Amino acid sequence: DVASVVAFSHEAAPHAVIDVSEGYPITKRVWRGAERRGEAVVLVDEIESEKAVDVEWRVHTTAKVSGAGTGEMMLTQGDEKCRVRVMEPPGAVIETGDAEAAEGTFKYPLSGVSVLRVKLAQVKTGRIVVGFSADGEAALGPAPALSTWGKGKP
């Protein structure tokens, strides 16, 4: 197993938390949470490590990306738009670039795929919280600690 479910609910605020620590052996704990808030989705990554580590959060997209180097950017694909905003840590920025992988890593080439990155330098504990929203502002308030996301609304 690479991941196990820590919490899950399909009620008013559907959410899930998974423990992906096995995939990051230099850490003590890595949990990822996802919650749907109306038309928005919030992703929360929590990292704990005995030694300070560099953390890089990534998401890949084929959408057109604008606003790199800020804490908020817009993804556009056709007529559809999605605002991406770093909610934690304060002052974090989203960097962009071409998706890269060693030749033969993937079945299909990564041409036209961009990667969004949020980095934390030398942390023992850290949280990266990123919101995705079609209307820009809906329900992108604070995200509680993943350990509190039990059954029902976190």
Side-chain angles (χ1 to χ4, degrees):
D1 292 345
V2 176
S4 58
V5 176
V6 174
F8 176 82
S9 176
H10 58 77
E11 296 172 4
H15 63 268
V17 178
I18 58 173
D19 182 345
V20 293
S21 303
E22 282 189 42
Y24 302 91
I26 64 170
T27 65
K28 192 161 78 174
R29 180 178 72 88
V30 179
W31 283 7
R32 167 161 285 176
E35 180 182 32
R36 183 166 179 189
R37 298 179 180 180
E39 296 297 315
V41 173
V42 175
L43 295 181
V44 179
D45 283 2
E46 292 182 350
I47 301 97
E48 289 182 16
S49 180
E50 304 239 346
K51 296 180 180 180
V53 294
D54 290 330
V55 176
E56 185 173 303
W57 177 94
R58 295 181 187 188
V59 65
H60 294 77
T61 182
T62 56
K64 180 183 170 202
V65 178
S66 60
T70 67
E72 186 170 303
M73 62 184 356
M74 185 66 71
L75 303 178
T76 306
Q77 197 160 33
D79 294 336
E80 301 293 322
K81 294 184 182 230
C82 179
R83 186 174 310 276
V84 181
R85 182 171 54 184
V86 180
M87 299 155 55
E88 287 184 47
V93 298
I94 305 170
E95 300 172 5
T96 64
D98 294 331
E100 299 174 358
E103 191 171 328
T105 302
F106 297 105
K107 184 175 181 178
Y108 300 102
L110 295 175
S111 58
V113 177
S114 297
V115 62
L116 313 183
R117 294 180 180 92
V118 178
K119 297 178 181 180
L120 300 178
Q122 294 296 295
V123 296
K124 289 186 177 181
T125 60
R127 278 172 50 98
I128 298 175
V129 181
V130 179
F132 297 81
S133 176
D135 65 7
E137 297 300 324
L140 292 182
L146 294 179
S147 61
T148 67
W149 288 27
K151 179 98 171 109
K153 182 161 175 52

